[in-house]
Amino acid sequence: MEKRLGVFLICWVSVQGQRNCCCHFESCQTSKMGKKSRVKTQKSGSGATAVVAPKEMMNLISELLQKCSSATPSAGKEWEEYTQIRALVEKIRKKQKGISIIFDGSREEHFSDLLAWAQDCGASTDGFTVADFGTEGFGLQATKDIKAEELFLWIPRKMLMTVESAQSSILGHLYGQDRIMQAMGNVTLALHLLCERCTPTSHWLPYIRSLPSDYDTPLYFQQDEVQLLQGTQAIADVLSQYKNTARQYAYFYKLMQTHPAASKLPLKDSFTFDDYRWAVSSVMTRQNQIPTEDGSRVTLALIPLWDMCNHTNGLITTGYNLEDDRCECVALRDYKENEQIYIFYGTRSNAEFVIHNGFFFQDNAHDRVKIKLGVSKSERLYAMKAEVLARAGIPASCVFALHCNDPPISAQLLAFLRVFCMTEEELKDYLLGEGAINKIITLGNSDFPVSWENEIKLWTFLETRAALLLKTYKTTTEEDRSLLEKPDLSLHSRVAIQLRVAEKQILEKVSASGRDKRMQFEKKKAEGAPLPRYEESDIALLENSDAEGKLPILLRQLEEVQEEAVQEEEEDNRLMNGDKSAESVVEKGSKDVNSNLDFEGKSIESSKGQKEEANLSASRTEE
């Protein structure tokens, strides 16, 4: 599968201070992070050949919409619901066979037209070409030496497919009357892409023809391949992604058949689930956030040619130049002639890459496993613990991350665990004791333990929790590695098993780290070692250190909180079920990135009228 830059193109900090998400990942041939998903050549054909009874199809669509709009299933029933939804979708797909509009020839045959079109539009086309990199899929290949930080690629706004260009297209009339499209830019982009694909005179046809004909996102997994994700951090989102996509499809299918504003759309007579799945995956793996023309806000966009870049570790090197009104990308490192040109998609976990991009990146330096922790409200000391956490800027219930690298936990998680394990006397000391405010600052600093007993308790807790999480997997790491040696393993199955192994390795490392730390502090306690004490003069050390563990927790943004995504999904569910509060969602603007389609957006840093400098390392926000 090729890594898709589009999804990751905008890896910079978003214009509105939001996190950049690069997530473009084509469904071509590779399963790496940043690689495109597997690409099949597009079959010949140009129109509908099957005849489907309108009433029968509408009944199936209504049944699907009702099933996908039902309440969230009780714990343990998610898989059963997924299989029921999938069965309905397969019935619909079977009846729609042969209806989709597809292009003649293979994808590769359209790359020359893509480059010619890009040149006509004023994009850079010197210094690279599109090439096949085997397991990595298609990507950009240098045709000359390129120096690190050299500007080698720029894409003018006229080439971009955006929410604004959708509003100005044949889709505009429906957009103006449909609250779902107004609230969810990614949905608008998906429908915009489908409408333009059906329009022979479309300005974007050279780009659309160059896209993969299918993808390796979980929407394309067989049911048994999805089942291999059971127990992983990805499974809940994968099941939700499928349900939400099916619900969206059913909603818009009915809209296409009944809404007056949809009567002239080219999708009215040819809008299959496979079409929508393709459009969703195209957008999900390629969408990015860019500034609007006046730079006052951000909008979603598909960025042709740039999205051909595959992913590697590094720094974000793409931004938006408002002065020249174009997306610009500088070289991540020196590239010799004939080498593949990579970009960095962002600090995503492999679970996120699998869910949103359809690939697994073996050398992911930012891989992590989520862990949800909270202080029980029924606990006697809840109020005191919640107050200490609040003073440190940490919620009493939060989703944290266990990292693949050292240290395996962040300063925020260390602070939470310290408070979580505090005794009543320790809590009083951090609330009312001498220097309580300064002590709060040290909660996330590994150099200043609360007490030896507290350190022993928190590392014992972490060791035990990681070990318990390991037991939730139905297979061992050794069993998974044996499965990966099978030569007939499908690409999707391999990706799922690779994800299982990676998650287990992180948990095993965290458990081992917890054990080592516990033993270290047990020794200190037994030896009667003096407890390091924080002095006010130490504030300089805390503020100036580069090590995350030494940074004052109050001066850092809590990365792990993910409540916003949950709230957005709830709002989207209300929209799909006709909730009258939809107008409030429309005002969210760029907040629709993590919508019910599970699209992931990317943000390009605006240059605010000035050309961006090549060094973008300071623009990256942590995930």
Side-chain angles (χ1 to χ4, degrees):
M1 309 161 137
E2 306 166 6
K3 303 176 184 179
R4 278 306 134 235
L5 168 63
V7 160
F8 295 93
L9 159 56
I10 307 169
C11 289
W12 289 20
V13 174
S14 69
V15 177
Q16 296 298 330
Q18 298 179 2
R19 187 178 48 141
N20 295 337
C21 281
C22 315
C23 288
H24 153 216
F25 176 91
E26 256 192 327
S27 82
C28 284
Q29 302 162 335
T30 305
S31 61
K32 286 189 176 182
M33 165 187 209
K35 296 179 180 181
K36 306 175 187 177
S37 309
R38 177 185 53 194
V39 173
K40 295 181 179 179
T41 55
Q42 294 169 321
K43 302 175 183 178
S44 60
S46 58
T49 59
V51 178
V52 181
K55 184 176 181 181
E56 180 183 9
M57 180 59 67
M58 190 61 78
N59 287 340
L60 283 172
I61 293 294
S62 297
E63 185 180 357
L64 179 62
L65 182 58
Q66 182 178 10
K67 182 65 180 176
C68 293
S69 300
S70 59
T72 302
S74 57
K77 297 291 185 181
E78 297 89 351
W79 181 258
E80 179 181 347
E81 180 192 57
Y82 166 75
T83 58
Q84 293 171 354
I85 293 173
R86 186 170 185 120
L88 276 172
V89 168
E90 290 305 314
K91 284 184 181 179
I92 292 171
R93 291 185 64 227
K94 185 175 181 180
K95 292 185 178 297
Q96 293 176 337
K97 188 174 182 180
I99 294 179
S100 297
I101 295 178
I102 49 185
F103 300 120
D104 291 325
S106 67
R107 181 186 179 207
E108 298 92 310
E109 295 176 46
H110 299 293
F111 289 149
S112 58
D113 291 338
L114 172 66
L115 291 169
W117 172 69
Q119 185 175 30
D120 290 343
C121 290
S124 58
T125 55
D126 294 332
F128 60 83
T129 189
V130 179
D132 188 346
F133 291 95
T135 58
E136 292 189 87
F138 293 103
L140 292 188
Q141 181 181 51
T143 56
K144 64 179 182 180
D145 290 353
I146 300 175
K147 295 294 184 182
E149 300 186 358
E150 177 183 342
L151 176 62
F152 74 95
L153 177 62
W154 58 86
I155 306 294
R157 186 180 294 270
K158 69 171 65 175
M159 286 178 63
L160 312 186
M161 294 189 74
T162 66
V163 173
E164 284 66 36
S165 66
Q167 294 177 50
S168 301
S169 72
I170 192 173
L171 196 61
H173 190 40
L174 181 62
Y175 177 92
Q177 300 182 41
D178 183 72
R179 295 180 301 166
I180 302 297
M181 294 175 64
Q182 293 168 9
M184 299 171 63
N186 44 22
V187 172
T188 300
L189 273 183
L191 296 173
H192 184 25
L193 185 61
L194 285 174
C195 285
E196 296 302 320
R197 187 177 71 160
C198 296
T199 305
T201 58
S202 171
H203 167 67
W204 293 282
L205 214 53
Y207 169 59
I208 297 172
R209 285 175 171 162
S210 73
L211 294 174
S213 60
D214 64 9
Y215 290 83
D216 283 326
T217 62
L219 292 176
Y220 283 83
F221 279 28
Q222 296 298 316
Q223 185 168 305
D224 61 337
E225 294 170 335
V226 175
Q227 197 161 19
L228 290 174
L229 290 169
Q230 292 277 25
T232 69
Q233 300 252 307
I235 187 62
D237 287 337
V238 167
L239 300 185
S240 177
Q241 179 188 74
Y242 193 90
K243 177 181 179 178
N244 292 330
T245 302
R247 181 175 64 220
Q248 290 263 342
Y249 171 70
Y251 171 84
F252 283 106
Y253 183 95
K254 294 187 74 172
L255 197 70
M256 296 296 174
Q257 303 304 315
T258 60
H259 200 293
S263 61
K264 294 184 180 180
L265 292 181
L267 303 182
K268 181 176 176 60
D269 298 320
S270 178
F271 181 52
T272 68
F273 178 83
D274 283 358
D275 288 334
Y276 195 62
R277 177 177 63 172
W278 173 83
V280 163
S281 294
S282 295
V283 173
M284 181 165 56
T285 60
R286 287 171 162 72
Q287 70 175 357
N288 298 270
Q289 286 186 336
I290 65 167
T292 52
E293 291 191 54
D294 61 6
S296 63
R297 56 190 177 86
V298 294
T299 188
L300 294 181
L302 298 178
I303 307 176
L305 193 57
W306 172 84
D307 62 13
M308 292 298 302
C309 291
N310 284 323
H311 166 82
T312 192
N313 290 317
L315 299 173
I316 294 169
T317 54
T318 301
Y320 201 91
N321 184 328
L322 274 175
E323 181 180 19
D324 294 328
D325 202 17
R326 66 188 190 183
C327 170
E328 296 183 344
C329 185
V330 300
L332 182 62
R333 59 174 177 79
D334 287 345
Y335 291 106
K336 297 294 185 182
E337 183 178 356
N338 296 325
E339 281 189 325
Q340 182 175 182
I341 301 172
Y342 293 96
I343 62 166
F344 177 59
Y345 288 8
T347 56
R348 291 195 162 186
S349 69
N350 270 317
E352 291 171 314
F353 281 125
V354 170
I355 295 165
H356 304 293
N357 305 105
F359 68 89
F360 177 88
F361 187 52
Q362 189 66 52
D363 301 319
N364 190 356
H366 304 281
D367 204 8
R368 56 195 177 274
V369 169
K370 292 184 294 183
I371 179 172
K372 186 174 183 179
L373 299 174
V375 181
S376 173
K377 292 184 178 180
S378 63
E379 182 184 340
R380 182 176 66 87
L381 300 177
Y382 172 79
M384 296 178 71
K385 290 183 177 180
E387 177 61 24
V388 175
L389 287 170
R391 292 185 184 186
I394 304 174
S397 179
C398 187
V399 176
F400 296 94
L402 304 176
H403 298 272
C404 66
N405 45 23
D406 291 320
I409 66 173
S410 65
Q412 289 84 5
L413 179 50
L414 176 61
F416 177 91
L417 291 173
R418 281 176 168 171
V419 177
F420 184 81
C421 295
M422 280 184 183
T423 64
E424 184 171 0
E425 288 304 312
E426 288 169 341
L427 288 167
K428 288 180 180 179
D429 194 34
Y430 277 75
L431 287 171
L432 305 171
E434 183 180 354
I437 294 178
N438 288 339
K439 288 181 178 179
I440 293 291
I441 295 177
T442 68
L443 275 174
N445 188 283
S446 59
D447 289 341
F448 298 101
V450 173
S451 67
W452 298 135
E453 292 82 0
N454 182 269
E455 290 294 308
I456 293 170
K457 286 164 62 177
L458 80 86
W459 289 109
T460 299
F461 172 84
L462 195 62
E463 174 189 2
T464 304
R465 176 58 69 92
L468 288 173
L469 289 174
L470 277 169
K471 292 181 179 180
T472 63
Y473 294 88
K474 296 181 180 180
T475 57
T476 65
T477 302
E478 291 70 25
E479 290 171 337
D480 284 343
R481 284 174 175 158
S482 296
L483 290 173
L484 289 173
E485 293 176 1
K486 293 186 175 181
D488 59 343
L489 198 64
S490 71
L491 175 60
H492 298 162
S493 296
R494 183 171 299 278
V495 166
I497 297 172
Q498 285 176 316
L499 180 61
R500 291 200 315 226
V501 171
E503 290 185 356
K504 291 172 190 175
Q505 288 176 329
I506 292 174
L507 293 173
E508 288 166 355
K509 179 176 181 178
V510 170
S511 184
S513 177
R515 180 182 64 253
D516 292 343
K517 289 285 188 179
R518 169 178 57 79
M519 295 173 65
Q520 172 188 337
F521 290 112
E522 285 176 341
K523 182 179 180 181
K524 286 183 177 293
K525 179 183 177 182
E527 293 173 346
L531 194 70
R533 295 296 179 182
Y534 168 75
E535 302 294 340
E536 190 169 349
S537 59
D538 291 330
I539 190 66
L541 167 67
L542 294 176
E543 290 180 337
N544 297 325
S545 173
D546 290 331
E548 178 179 322
K550 297 182 182 296
L551 288 176
I553 195 167
L554 293 176
L555 302 182
R556 296 183 60 84
Q557 178 180 1
L558 184 62
E559 310 163 356
E560 291 88 347
V561 179
Q562 299 180 358
E563 296 176 353
E564 180 179 289
V566 175
Q567 294 171 354
E568 288 173 353
E569 181 170 352
E570 291 174 350
E571 288 167 341
D572 182 60
N573 289 339
R574 290 198 298 271
L575 274 172
M576 292 303 300
N577 291 314
D579 194 305
K580 297 302 182 182
S581 64
E583 289 79 0
S584 65
V585 181
V586 175
E587 299 301 321
K588 292 177 71 62
S590 61
K591 298 286 187 180
D592 61 4
V593 173
N594 292 311
S595 73
N596 76 335
L597 282 181
D598 289 313
F599 292 2
E600 283 289 328
K602 290 149 277 294
S603 309
I604 292 184
E605 179 80 3
S606 168
S607 57
K608 302 298 182 184
Q610 298 180 355
K611 294 185 177 180
E612 284 291 351
E613 297 297 327
N615 184 7
L616 310 182
S617 60
S619 300
R620 181 166 62 92
T621 50
E622 297 295 325
E623 248 186 52

